[in-house]
Amino acid sequence: MDLRIQNLCKTYANGVRALENVSLTIRTGMYGLLGPNGAGKSTLMRTLATLQDADSGSVQLGDLNVLQQKQEVRQMLGYLPQEFGVYPRTSAREMLDHIAILKGITNRRERRELVDAMLERVNLFQHRKKAISGFSGGMKQRFGIAQALLGTPRLVIVDEPTAGLDPGERNRFYNLLSEIGENVIVILSTHIVQDVKELCTNMAIINLGKVMYSGPPGDAEVELRGKVWQKSISKQDLESYRSQYQVISTKLVGGAPLIHILSDTNPNNGFTSVDPDLEDVFFSRVQQVA
Ligand code: ADP
């Protein structure tokens, strides 16, 4: 089953064009939607999750028209929003039970089995009786995935799932996500390049509401091969390098800026060639309209 997004547009009442002719085809597996803050990722995710309307364009999930057949889509959908509210004193198990009812699982025994199996799967069974409000960031995200996966969805959308997780929690969350993608479309929206690098076979980069790239992460790197150069410089020279070269990224290594620039030919001047990685792809694409 494919998710086909065609010419999707959305302008908010304040005039911000959050989506401009977005067209993407997303197949089964893990799909990364990468973009800086404000790129339009959440707008797209909420539209796909039937929570908000687009101005124009179409979205097709298999035979379903997502923008119109909302109820049908919701039955196939698992959604983990950027932030989700929980009732303060409700336990993880009670909350999942409640969500399972909303997803149409009416048989009590079946529901209990399903909920407990899901708690096991996300490694929260031992915490099932605790209030979710007391969970750590990582536990909350794993609970979020549990609620999104209840009722075997065909389309799973997770919006900025690793923001605020420590490295250990992030790893556990990665492992959990990568188990899901086999028969399901999983869309992972993030501004963290590493999330996409580690998990996704296909991806899109969006910025200012536009698709800047779509395809496998590796293909985008190949396109940049031979064009990325690096040099360690001193801080006070940064501005002059910026005016002279197309600087795509700057990071501090041992306190000194290491810059990556884009150039079709050897810039000399102490620059050395580097193998482009996804981060270079991301920054070079994002700067095209910035
Ligand atoms: P991202 O998830 O990539 O950070 P968003 O979809 O949240 O991006 O936002 C895209 C743009 O639309 C931003 O400029 C944001 O300020 C704007 N925006 C988002 N929601 C609203 C809204 N409800 N009203 C007005 N502008 C909005």
Side-chain angles (χ1 to χ4, degrees), residues 137-149:
M139 288 161 76
K140 274 191 188 142
Q141 284 308 62
R142 280 184 279 138
F143 175 82
I145 274 291
Q147 64 80 23
L149 291 183

Side-chain angles (χ1 to χ4, degrees), residues 94-106 111-112 114-115 147 150-151:
E94 283 165 350
M95 191 74 196
L96 281 187
D97 189 65
H98 183 68
I99 292 164
I101 295 172
L102 295 179
K103 291 202 178 182
I105 305 156
T106 48
R111 212 165 56 231
R112 172 54 63 95
L114 205 72
V115 163
Q147 64 80 23
L150 272 181

Side-chain angles (χ1 to χ4, degrees), residues 42 45-51 77-84 103 144-145 147-149 153 155-159:
S42 293
M45 298 297 95
R46 286 196 303 263
T47 309
L48 300 179
T50 74
L51 298 173
L77 176 76
Y79 178 50
L80 173 55
Q82 231 173 75
E83 279 174 19
F84 60 94
K103 291 202 178 182
I145 274 291
Q147 64 80 23
L149 291 183
L155 170 64
V156 175
I157 294 175
V158 287
D159 199 354

Side-chain angles (χ1 to χ4, degrees), residues 12-14 16-18 35-44 46 82 159-160 189 206:
Y12 285 109
N14 60 1
V16 172
R17 300 186 75 177
N37 288 329
K41 302 183 297 298
S42 293
T43 302
L44 180 58
R46 286 196 303 263
Q82 231 173 75
D159 199 354
E160 300 274 357
S189 143
I206 67 168

Side-chain angles (χ1 to χ4, degrees), residues 40-90:
K41 302 183 297 298
S42 293
T43 302
L44 180 58
M45 298 297 95
R46 286 196 303 263
T47 309
L48 300 179
T50 74
L51 298 173
Q52 121 177 15
D53 290 325
D55 297 334
S56 59
S58 68
V59 182
Q60 197 77 23
L61 175 65
D63 296 333
L64 291 180
N65 178 334
V66 174
L67 302 183
Q68 271 156 25
Q69 294 170 280
K70 294 184 181 173
Q71 212 45 50
E72 288 91 332
V73 172
R74 283 173 196 161
Q75 283 168 9
M76 303 170 74
L77 176 76
Y79 178 50
L80 173 55
Q82 231 173 75
E83 279 174 19
F84 60 94
V86 290
Y87 300 106
R89 275 191 288 277
T90 311

Side-chain angles (χ1 to χ4, degrees), residues 22-247:
V22 170
S23 296
L24 296 167
T25 298
I26 302 178
R27 309 213 152 80
T28 300
M30 293 285 298
Y31 191 91
L33 188 71
L34 187 61
N37 288 329
K41 302 183 297 298
S42 293
T43 302
L44 180 58
M45 298 297 95
R46 286 196 303 263
T47 309
L48 300 179
T50 74
L51 298 173
Q52 121 177 15
D53 290 325
D55 297 334
S56 59
S58 68
V59 182
Q60 197 77 23
L61 175 65
D63 296 333
L64 291 180
N65 178 334
V66 174
L67 302 183
Q68 271 156 25
Q69 294 170 280
K70 294 184 181 173
Q71 212 45 50
E72 288 91 332
V73 172
R74 283 173 196 161
Q75 283 168 9
M76 303 170 74
L77 176 76
Y79 178 50
L80 173 55
Q82 231 173 75
E83 279 174 19
F84 60 94
V86 290
Y87 300 106
R89 275 191 288 277
T90 311
S91 75
R93 190 195 236 168
E94 283 165 350
M95 191 74 196
L96 281 187
D97 189 65
H98 183 68
I99 292 164
I101 295 172
L102 295 179
K103 291 202 178 182
I105 305 156
T106 48
N107 182 298
R108 211 180 150 157
R109 236 183 79 196
E110 184 194 344
R111 212 165 56 231
R112 172 54 63 95
E113 278 173 18
L114 205 72
V115 163
D116 283 356
M118 192 57 80
L119 285 164
E120 289 276 8
R121 187 166 170 197
V122 300
N123 214 359
L124 286 175
F125 188 73
Q126 56 173 326
H127 304 294
R128 65 192 179 280
K129 293 180 181 161
K130 291 187 193 152
I132 305 159
S133 53
F135 279 5
S136 71
M139 288 161 76
K140 274 191 188 142
Q141 284 308 62
R142 280 184 279 138
F143 175 82
I145 274 291
Q147 64 80 23
L149 291 183
L150 272 181
T152 50
R154 303 292 305 275
L155 170 64
V156 175
I157 294 175
V158 287
D159 199 354
E160 300 274 357
T162 64
L165 299 189
D166 69 36
E169 286 174 334
R170 191 150 84 167
N171 257 337
R172 279 193 291 278
F173 192 72
Y174 278 165
N175 287 334
L176 188 60
L177 272 186
S178 64
E179 283 169 23
I180 306 167
E182 285 196 345
N183 302 305
V184 180
I185 300 172
V186 183
I187 305 178
L188 170 77
S189 143
T190 182
H191 65 275
I192 301 168
V193 176
Q194 197 193 354
D195 287 352
V196 173
K197 193 149 76 183
E198 299 207 8
L199 293 168
C200 302
T201 42
N202 275 290
M203 65 174 290
I205 296 174
I206 67 168
N207 192 27
L208 301 175
K210 293 190 189 126
V211 177
M212 310 305 295
Y213 172 80
S214 67
D219 289 7
E221 291 174 5
V222 170
E223 283 174 27
L224 275 189
R225 214 172 266 167
K227 297 181 183 172
V228 183
W229 309 81
Q230 72 172 12
K231 184 178 179 183
S232 178
I233 61 168
S234 59
K235 265 184 205 154
Q236 63 265 31
D237 293 338
L238 189 55
E239 277 320 303
S240 96
Y241 274 89
R242 275 193 202 285
S243 59
Q244 235 181 312
Y245 300 100
Q246 195 183 344
V247 177

